[in-house]
Amino acid sequence: MSSQKTYDAVEQALQRQFPEVVNGLVLLPENETGSIVNALVNNSVIHLRREPSSTKELVTQALLGTPVRILKTERGKCLIQVPDGYLGWVNTAEVQRVNRQELTTYKKSEKVIYKVQSGLSYSAPDIESLPVSDLVMGNILCKVSEQAGFTQVLYPDGRLGWVRSHELVSSEAIFHQNTSQENLVQTALKFHGIPYLWGGTSSKNIDCSGLICNVYFMNGMQLPRDANMQALIGRELTTDFVSDGLEPGDLLFFGSKGSERSEPKVSHVAMYIGGGEYIHSAGYRERVSINSMDNTKPNFIESYPAMFVKAVRIVGEPYEGFRPTAKNAFYNEIIRSGE
């Protein structure tokens, strides 16, 4: 539990109605800093697991520079919350704690975002120099300087590296852009061929809803993490598996259609890219692929029409259940004025 108000209300109710019951709730986070953000992700990608063990289920991932909230620590692991609200256990060394002053400094710093599928940062402005780390699309770093086509960047833990400048984009261009259909498609195509991974949200490995989250994040929008959550936002367009009326960037949801006795259940999401085609990260293919809604095309999937639940439009719709990344409570803690 992370709400002091709720904790106090439960405590008072127990004392009043069930004085013999011991309140076993624990108020989190530990070592409260007064900010919703008290750490930054320090590796290109970190794995959040359901329990504090590397053998337990992967629930989601977080990317370098992401603002997070450490709730508790135990035996080299810590429970964190990420900007989309997800909770999971990570290795403590994978996140860098920041106090209020350090967070303010990070917020004021000029930041850049890695915009290509994957690559490296180097110890010198030379691709033959020793790598500092790998990088994936969406990684956030502080900009230090530029030299000979390279940008020097600063990691949350103080490491310095050099990245080819053309692989970076100003965070301002990401956080404060108007989401466009064309840019959504261009971003999505960069993920083509990436291996599928349940719980993956990075351009190393990715699941269906992770792909959608990543594509929209790189276009200035924070969406809910899971496909069934994404199906509840935006404006419903159709429940028929046809491309008529669809526009690039629209989301297509699959699962079970439901009946008089049951509600539809969404278990998969794809993004329409135009020309009757959509891109998605599908477990059965084990990679991000492009398929067609036209049954005469070789990339048509025969089983999908029967599994189609609905299509939804996000671009241009009123914010309800989703919002620009800059208005997310976590990201608002690191985005400087004017970004």
Side-chain angles (χ1 to χ4, degrees):
M1 177 179 291
S2 59
S3 168
Q4 181 71 58
K5 183 178 180 180
T6 303
Y7 180 89
D8 292 342
V10 172
E11 181 73 19
Q12 292 172 12
L14 287 175
Q15 291 177 356
R16 184 173 60 252
Q17 300 180 46
F18 307 99
E20 73 283 0
V21 176
V22 176
N23 183 3
L25 294 175
V26 177
L27 185 63
L28 299 174
E30 303 171 336
N31 306 315
E32 180 61 69
T33 65
S35 169
I36 192 173
V37 171
N38 59 15
L40 301 167
V41 174
N42 200 41
N43 275 349
S44 62
V45 181
I46 64 173
H47 301 295
L48 279 71
R49 299 190 181 275
R50 192 167 300 281
E51 298 178 42
S53 168
S54 59
T55 64
K56 300 303 180 180
E57 179 189 355
L58 175 67
V59 294
T60 194
Q61 295 175 325
L63 306 182
L64 175 66
T66 298
V68 301
R69 191 181 195 188
I70 297 177
L71 298 174
K72 64 182 297 187
T73 58
E74 60 178 59
R75 301 190 303 276
K77 304 285 184 180
C78 58
L79 178 66
I80 69 170
Q81 185 177 34
V82 294
D84 60 22
Y86 251 65
L87 302 174
W89 290 89
V90 302
N91 294 323
T92 302
E94 294 181 307
V95 291
Q96 180 70 26
R97 280 190 179 271
V98 290
N99 58 33
R100 191 71 228 180
Q101 182 177 352
E102 291 167 333
L103 185 62
T104 299
T105 299
Y106 186 70
K107 182 171 185 173
K108 292 180 178 179
S109 300
E110 182 179 359
K111 290 176 284 293
V112 289
I113 296 179
Y114 198 68
K115 68 177 183 178
V116 299
Q117 192 183 85
S118 62
L120 297 169
S121 69
Y122 301 92
S123 53
D126 179 356
I127 61 172
E128 299 300 324
S129 64
L130 183 70
V132 174
S133 81
D134 74 316
L135 296 170
V136 299
M137 190 184 301
N139 283 174
I140 304 171
L141 293 150
C142 292
K143 180 179 179 180
V144 178
S145 64
E146 290 185 88
Q147 179 181 325
F150 283 80
T151 298
Q152 189 178 39
V153 294
L154 177 68
Y155 286 72
D157 64 357
R159 283 175 296 162
L160 290 169
W162 292 88
V163 182
R164 287 181 285 192
S165 298
H166 70 269
E167 297 177 344
L168 299 169
V169 61
S170 166
S171 59
E172 181 178 356
I174 297 295
F175 291 139
H176 287 289
Q177 65 179 298
N178 293 319
T179 307
S180 74
Q181 296 174 347
E182 180 182 0
N183 288 343
L184 284 169
V185 173
Q186 290 178 353
T187 303
L189 294 179
K190 293 179 180 179
F191 288 85
H192 187 256
I194 296 296
Y196 176 88
L197 177 68
W198 175 273
T201 61
S202 74
S203 56
K204 286 185 178 181
N205 304 90
I206 204 160
D207 65 18
C208 65
S209 55
L211 172 64
I212 302 304
C213 283
N214 227 308
V215 169
Y216 269 82
F217 172 81
M218 291 298 292
N219 286 275
M221 197 69 67
Q222 178 80 38
L223 299 191
R225 169 65 179 91
D226 294 334
N228 61 341
M229 300 175 184
Q230 294 168 359
L232 299 176
I233 63 175
R235 176 167 63 90
E236 182 176 310
L237 302 172
T238 181
T239 57
D240 296 323
F241 189 67
V242 293
S243 60
D244 297 346
L246 296 182
E247 296 179 1
D250 291 344
L251 302 185
L252 313 179
F253 294 96
F254 302 85
S256 59
K257 289 181 174 293
S259 64
E260 294 181 357
R261 298 183 179 181
S262 63
E263 294 292 324
K265 292 184 180 180
V266 169
S267 57
H268 185 60
V269 61
M271 193 185 87
Y272 187 71
I273 59 174
E277 293 187 321
Y278 56 93
I279 189 168
H280 59 148
S281 184
Y284 90 102
R285 280 282 178 88
E286 300 300 334
R287 70 183 69 90
V288 177
S289 58
I290 295 172
N291 291 100
S292 177
M293 302 178 78
D294 183 347
N295 61 12
T296 66
K297 303 294 184 181
N299 58 344
F300 175 76
I301 305 176
E302 188 174 349
S303 61
Y304 268 38
M307 297 168 54
F308 186 72
V309 176
K310 65 177 178 178
V312 163
R313 180 162 299 155
I314 304 295
V315 178
E317 297 302 319
Y319 303 139
E320 187 172 347
F322 66 100
R323 62 187 61 197
T325 306
K327 295 186 180 297
N328 174 275
F330 282 74
Y331 283 107
N332 186 57
E333 290 288 308
I334 70 164
I335 297 176
R336 62 179 181 167
S337 300
E339 275 191 341

